[in-house]
Amino acid sequence: MQIIKTTNAPAAIGTYSQAVKVNGFLYASGQLGIDPATGELQPDFKSQATQVMKNVKGILEEAGLSFANVVKTTVFLSDISDFATLNEVYAQYFSEPYPARSAVAVKDLPKGGLVEMEIIAVEG
């Protein structure tokens, strides 16, 4: 098991790793729209969603992977009405064949976030 840690994504805000790589799979913890340079949450949904993708990219790159290696994403939204905007941002980072995805609305996210995403990626 290899722990993935990068300054190109926010440091863990709890007792967890940014990501863990094991047996050719990368399991990344949920990423919020926090700018790793400032530690601040971006101000609105679209900028948070974009920052989430940048944070995921940082973790993937640290693990020697890219968005093309992602096989599954789970997205948590504080408001399901942001789903269309999520798809706009998502399409800027993922291309066909798209990974499998779940997107659910939740009551609250850490730090008052509007969106959080976790991923599973595979080498090769």
Side-chain angles (χ1 to χ4, degrees):
M1 183 168 67
Q2 177 186 0
I3 302 302
I4 304 299
K5 186 175 181 180
T6 178
T7 57
N8 292 323
I13 57 175
T15 53
Y16 60 90
S17 299
Q18 287 175 323
V20 176
K21 194 173 183 183
V22 61
N23 295 331
F25 284 89
L26 177 75
Y27 301 91
S29 296
Q31 292 299 303
L32 293 166
I34 296 172
D35 182 334
T38 65
E40 297 295 321
L41 196 62
Q42 296 297 320
D44 57 47
F45 181 85
K46 191 168 187 176
S47 60
Q48 283 188 32
T50 300
Q51 187 64 56
V52 163
M53 301 307 281
K54 290 176 182 177
N55 295 343
V56 167
K57 181 179 180 184
I59 289 169
L60 287 166
E61 288 177 346
E62 184 68 22
L65 303 171
S66 73
F67 282 101
N69 297 98
V70 177
V71 295
K72 173 72 167 82
T73 66
T74 304
V75 182
F76 305 95
L77 304 165
S78 66
D79 186 341
I80 200 69
S81 68
D82 288 321
F83 188 73
T85 305
L86 168 69
N87 282 331
E88 289 175 29
V89 173
Y90 197 89
Q92 295 174 20
Y93 293 85
F94 289 104
S95 57
E96 292 189 39
Y98 297 112
R101 180 178 78 182
S102 300
V104 296
V106 297
K107 184 177 180 296
D108 293 309
L109 289 169
K111 296 198 168 239
L114 302 175
V115 58
E116 180 176 5
M117 186 170 75
E118 62 185 29
I119 61 144
I120 300 171
V122 64
E123 294 179 313

